Amino acid sequence: MKDRLSFIAPEGLAKLREEVEAGNTISLEGLDLDEDPALLRTALAQAEERRKQARLALREVEPDQSRADDAFVVAETTLASLISDQAQFAAILGPEEARAERGRSLLATLIDLDQSLSEAEAHALKLGTDAGDLASIEAALTRARSVEAAVGKEINALRVQIPRQTAP
């Protein structure tokens, strides 16, 4: 049964629902009651069987329709998100007529910045080689300060001794 209903579009499903609802109310209009009661019973049985089959078909299709509705909502949400993203990209990129010129300008800026970076790296390398070993320079400075302090003490000691030796 499901295979036979796989081709039903949502509009067809709505029509099928209407037919099932219409089949729920039995109208005696248009029936020729003068006919054979057996024929009428057969026609009624066939109509009830068609109604039963339509209800079964509707029950089989309802989960698919629910999933299709959910997928449609997800698709609409995704589409809205994509449209929003596209609007943001268009705002970032600017007017389409000016994009090529802006791209050339950004490329020129990139080239200038790359050149400045290369120059700065070369300068930093030169400064690093000119600076020498910082630890050895600090050790030499500490030694020089130590010698200066020792010389200062020696000078003070000599100042004290020289007046005593030269005194009469």
Side-chain angles (χ1 to χ4, degrees):
M1 172 71 64
K2 191 170 186 175
D3 291 336
R4 291 189 298 167
L5 296 174
S6 62
F7 65 91
I8 297 178
E11 306 85 37
L13 187 61
K15 184 177 179 184
L16 183 61
R17 280 192 177 130
E18 290 174 11
E19 288 177 7
V20 169
E21 289 300 319
N24 284 337
T25 58
I26 298 176
S27 171
L28 297 178
E29 292 178 24
L31 290 179
D32 186 10
L33 297 177
D34 293 335
E35 289 189 26
D36 183 22
L39 287 175
L40 289 175
R41 282 189 198 100
T42 304
L44 177 62
Q46 289 173 349
E48 286 179 352
E49 182 61 27
R50 284 193 309 269
R51 183 177 75 179
K52 180 181 168 186
Q53 292 301 321
R55 283 184 178 167
L56 287 174
L58 181 61
R59 286 187 191 127
E60 288 180 9
V61 173
E62 282 177 345
D64 291 337
Q65 182 182 7
S66 176
R67 285 191 297 274
D69 289 343
D70 293 343
F72 183 74
V73 168
V74 168
E76 280 185 325
T77 304
T78 303
L79 178 62
S81 174
L82 290 173
I83 289 172
S84 172
D85 290 347
Q86 183 181 22
Q88 287 177 346
F89 294 146
I92 290 169
L93 294 174
E96 195 163 332
E97 304 82 33
R99 288 180 187 171
E101 179 60 35
R102 184 163 185 239
R104 285 189 290 276
S105 171
L106 289 173
L107 182 60
T109 303
L110 176 64
I111 291 170
D112 290 344
L113 290 174
D114 276 345
Q115 184 177 1
S116 296
L117 175 63
S118 296
E119 291 170 1
E121 286 174 341
H123 185 67
L125 183 61
K126 183 179 181 294
L127 289 175
T129 56
D130 289 347
D133 183 20
L134 186 59
S136 63
I137 293 172
E138 285 178 348
L141 178 62
T142 303
R143 283 191 305 272
R145 286 184 180 158
S146 173
V147 168
E148 179 185 22
V151 168
K153 285 181 185 178
E154 188 67 29
I155 290 173
N156 287 337
L158 289 175
R159 283 188 184 151
V160 170
Q161 287 179 356
I162 292 179
R164 286 186 196 166
Q165 292 176 355
T166 56

